[in-house]
């Protein structure tokens, strides 16, 4: 799972398939099919952690899921980023830049919504701890996130 990491990626945030992530308190910004297609085809599905930034805003910690997209009968992957930050507004249509830093666990099925939510909370805590390590913190300052003024995004 680590072979492709760190993995840098940038693309537009599109409407997802309404799994109700936001209702669970865990909104996930979805990348377009085109961006997902550009991922290495052998990258493992599962939960990852890394850094993310919307437009040319601040860089925040994130957890990311690479999973199977029910829209395409689970033959195509979906890539969804939950940024560990509270935003005032949605940012559909904006450019999301991410670097995937590490792998947490494979995809799992859960017996209940509560079990799913607590697993995600644990993933978030694990991401926070990992990203505080010096070798991971340095990617937060990567030039990838320092975009030329006004080039992309609108915040
Ligand atoms: P969708 O099915 O359209 O992806 P979600 O319930 O997953 O809907 O919500 C995702 C949207 O919520 C994102 O596209 C973004 O505009 C917004 N959003 C607000 N806060 C966050 C956050 N912290 N992380 C990710 N997306 C967020
Ligand atoms: Mg989503």
């Amino acid at each position: 799972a680590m072979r492709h990491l760190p993995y840098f990626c940038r693309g537009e945030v599109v409407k997802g398939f309404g799994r109700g992530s936001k209702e669970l308190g865990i909104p996930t910004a979805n990348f377009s099919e085109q961006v997902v297609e550009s991922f290495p085809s052998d990258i493992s599905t599962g939960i990852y952690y890394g850094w993310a930034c919307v437009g040319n805003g601040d860089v925040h910690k994130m957890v990311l899921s690479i999973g199977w997209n029910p829209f395409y009968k689970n033959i195509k992957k979906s890539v969804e980023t939950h940024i560990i930050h509270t935003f005032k507004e949605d940012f559909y249509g904006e450019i999301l830049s991410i670097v995937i830093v590490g792998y947490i666990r494979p995809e799992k099925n859960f017996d209940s919504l509560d079990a799913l939510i607590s697993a995600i909370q644990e993933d978030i805590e694990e991401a926070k701890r990992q990203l505080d390590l010096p070798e991971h913190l340095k990617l937060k300052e990567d030039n990838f996130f320092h975009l030329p003024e006004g080039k992309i995004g609108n915040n």
Side-chain angles (χ1 to χ4, degrees):
M2 301 295 286
R3 189 151 42 94
H4 297 289
L5 307 185
Y7 187 77
F8 294 83
C9 172
R10 179 142 52 221
E12 189 182 340
V13 176
V14 301
K15 195 94 191 124
F17 24 81
R19 278 171 169 167
S21 323
K22 202 177 286 170
E23 285 67 35
L24 304 183
I26 314 153
T28 61
N30 294 49
F31 278 125
S32 68
E33 189 193 333
Q34 221 175 347
V35 171
V36 176
E37 293 277 290
S38 71
F39 271 59
S41 58
D42 61 344
I43 198 165
S44 304
T45 60
I47 311 300
Y48 295 79
Y49 59 86
W51 298 103
C53 131
V54 178
N56 38 36
D58 294 339
V59 181
H60 300 286
K61 293 174 177 177
M62 62 80 160
V63 289
L64 171 128
S65 115
I66 301 179
W68 295 106
N69 191 330
F71 254 24
Y72 296 97
K73 302 188 173 159
N74 299 328
I75 57 164
K76 285 188 176 181
K77 281 171 182 161
S78 73
V79 177
E80 306 183 28
T81 304
H82 171 67
I83 304 174
I84 306 174
H85 177 75
T86 304
F87 290 86
K88 290 204 185 81
E89 286 174 354
D90 286 351
F91 44 85
Y92 289 111
E94 297 216 42
I95 300 297
L96 175 65
S97 301
I98 64 168
V99 52
I100 308 174
V101 175
Y103 183 75
I104 300 180
R105 61 170 175 87
E107 278 190 291
K108 266 188 284 195
N109 284 316
F110 293 92
D111 297 333
S112 70
L113 208 54
D114 280 352
L116 169 65
I117 293 171
S118 48
I120 298 169
Q121 296 305 347
E122 279 169 36
D123 296 335
I124 290 172
E125 290 314 309
E126 175 70 3
K128 286 181 180 169
R129 277 193 298 274
Q130 289 290 336
L131 290 163
D132 277 335
L133 300 174
E135 75 250 46
H136 296 151
L137 261 175
K138 70 172 195 269
L139 280 164
K140 184 185 185 184
E141 312 301 334
D142 196 277
N143 276 331
F144 177 71
F145 290 118
H146 298 153
L147 308 165
E149 194 78 23
K151 272 278 153 70
I152 65 171
N154 55 13
N155 60 347

